[in-house]
Amino acid sequence: MHGTEGERGKPQTLARQTTSELGRLFETMLLVRRVEERIIEQYLAQNESLSRGEEVAHAIRCPTHLSIGQEAAAVGVCVALRADDSVFSTHRCHAHYLAKGGSVSRMMAELFGRATGCARGKGGSMHLVDASIGMLGASAIVGGSIPLALGAALSYQLRAEARVSVAFFGDGAVEQGVFHEAMNLAALRKLPVILACENNFYATLSHVSARQTMPIAARAASYGMPGIALDSDDVLAVAEVARNAADRARSGAGPTLLEIRAYRWMSHVGTEYDIGKMLRSPEELEVWRARCPVARARRELARAGVSEEDLRAKEERVARVVEDAIRSAKAADEPAAGELFAHLGARPQA
């Protein structure tokens, strides 16, 4: 009888654990979503002021690439990593930075070009970095994250450190030679690296079907590594696949290629929709909006018994964090003139 009760209790315990994890993932995805929604609001407000000829005291002046709709890819992968694992990102790096544990205040200060920014106000939206959390940088070069992640993975292997590096990149990067060179080297050396392709189907405005004839994940077989394709509307599924890939890498078994289909709602760059103006149809967007990973996580939490009051408390907590970050960013100082030529190279070793 005791054994029967234990067997009955086990699924309930696992369900509670899953619900708890989904709650944390939901809150992180919600943080990414709210940050980017506020970036849109900030841009619209300052553009309206500028159109009236008004001076804008606190403005985001850097280009910005939003990942609204893609949040589960970054959050699901990064939850599988340890603090000392490393992430290399792209021009669309907000979600990766926040999912890896980056400071919202330092991120917003960076976008506003403030000295308290994570790159001291020099990098802007496309170059978020924080070595203390393992966010080792973002490159606007298509495919630029891939060789950097391999270099980090090689260093971990040579030093016999049980660490993993991740390269985030888009579907367009698969068409770069460095992708194939990296796949080959990673497989030959069994490097502890995860190659996480966020396939949002578009390289700027060019659909993947006009550029590629083979599914992205299927390319892994040519290099003797696992290739896994999945949709990003289920953040728990992404997290499970990423954990398996991280365990494989950490054990010395080598790399994994993930193709995470994560549709980009907004335009390639900026704060508008490009729906109806160029190639994307409103119907296509609506199909993917209906599969919103944030909304799905919220529904699943409600079905698991999390009250509406608790869900709203999470939403309000995230909103407060973002608003506090924006206020502190606007109040921060601009970089001093002497910062212009600082940190341009490594200091010589003694």
Side-chain angles (χ1 to χ4, degrees):
M1 184 60 129
H2 179 72
T4 303
E5 289 299 321
E7 290 168 5
R8 289 175 179 171
K10 189 175 181 181
Q12 295 175 1
T13 302
L14 289 174
R16 284 197 297 271
Q17 291 173 344
T18 301
T19 300
S20 177
E21 178 179 39
L22 182 58
R24 293 192 299 273
L25 297 176
F26 168 69
E27 203 158 341
T28 305
M29 289 194 297
L30 192 62
L31 177 65
V32 175
R33 176 70 60 89
R34 188 53 185 154
V35 162
E36 296 203 320
E37 288 174 342
R38 287 294 283 118
I39 290 171
I40 293 173
E41 292 168 6
Q42 173 66 30
Y43 263 110
L44 293 177
Q46 67 191 40
N47 289 344
E48 185 176 338
S49 296
L50 291 170
S51 69
R52 295 195 299 263
E54 300 172 359
E55 184 177 348
V56 180
H58 306 291
I60 299 176
R61 305 187 189 278
C62 55
T64 189
H65 301 71
L66 304 176
S67 55
I68 292 175
Q70 300 184 202
E71 295 90 351
V75 174
V77 170
C78 287
V79 75
L81 304 178
R82 300 195 311 211
D84 61 347
D85 292 334
S86 58
V87 164
F88 294 85
S89 184
T90 70
H91 53 278
R92 204 177 305 281
C93 60
H94 303 159
H96 308 140
Y97 173 83
L98 293 171
K100 193 61 171 71
S103 162
V104 187
S105 295
R106 295 187 70 198
M107 174 183 159
M108 295 308 303
E110 188 60 36
L111 267 64
F112 282 99
R114 302 297 171 173
T116 53
C118 60
R120 295 175 175 262
K122 297 179 181 180
S125 172
M126 292 190 287
H127 301 289
L128 303 179
V129 60
D130 188 342
S132 70
I133 60 164
M135 177 73 175
L136 298 189
S139 172
I141 299 170
V142 176
S145 61
I146 301 173
L148 300 177
L150 254 69
L154 178 59
S155 75
Y156 302 155
Q157 186 183 75
L158 292 174
R159 295 197 295 252
E161 296 175 347
R163 298 168 66 184
V164 175
S165 71
V166 177
F168 283 105
F169 53 94
D171 48 281
V174 175
E175 297 153 34
Q176 299 292 320
V178 70
F179 168 78
H180 299 279
E181 294 166 358
M183 292 274 284
N184 191 51
L185 178 61
L188 281 171
R189 293 295 302 257
K190 293 188 176 181
L191 295 180
V193 63
I194 299 173
L195 300 160
C197 177
E198 294 175 297
N199 180 7
N200 63 25
F201 302 96
Y202 287 90
T204 308
L205 288 168
S206 178
H207 192 270
V208 67
S209 63
R211 297 179 280 109
Q212 300 175 23
T213 59
M214 178 185 290
I216 292 171
R219 300 164 195 252
S222 299
Y223 300 98
M225 70 173 72
I228 303 168
L230 70 162
D231 292 335
S232 73
D233 52 333
D234 185 350
V235 69
L236 286 174
V238 177
E240 181 180 3
V241 168
R243 283 198 179 96
N244 290 338
D247 290 345
R248 169 183 163 83
R250 220 180 295 281
S251 70
T256 301
L257 172 64
L258 304 182
E259 178 193 351
I260 308 169
R261 294 181 289 258
Y263 194 80
R264 165 173 55 82
W265 292 9
M266 312 301 293
S267 59
H268 166 67
V269 60
T271 57
E272 298 181 352
Y273 292 98
D274 56 13
I275 304 301
K277 297 180 181 179
M278 301 290 184
L279 300 178
R280 299 202 294 166
S281 69
E283 293 77 16
E284 181 179 288
L285 173 62
E286 286 310 307
V287 167
W288 285 94
R289 283 174 67 95
R291 300 175 63 179
C292 171
V294 182
R296 173 172 175 165
R298 196 185 198 282
R299 289 194 303 269
E300 290 182 355
L301 286 169
R303 282 198 293 266
V306 178
S307 69
E308 180 66 19
E309 182 181 5
D310 286 344
L311 290 170
R312 288 187 178 181
K314 289 179 182 291
E315 292 166 343
E316 291 169 2
R317 182 163 57 247
V318 165
R320 285 195 301 272
V321 167
V322 176
E323 293 310 310
D324 289 346
I326 292 173
R327 277 194 295 271
S328 67
K330 290 182 176 181
D333 293 331
E334 294 185 349
E339 281 283 314
L340 184 61
F341 298 105
H343 309 98
L344 296 183
R347 293 181 178 178
Q349 294 291 326

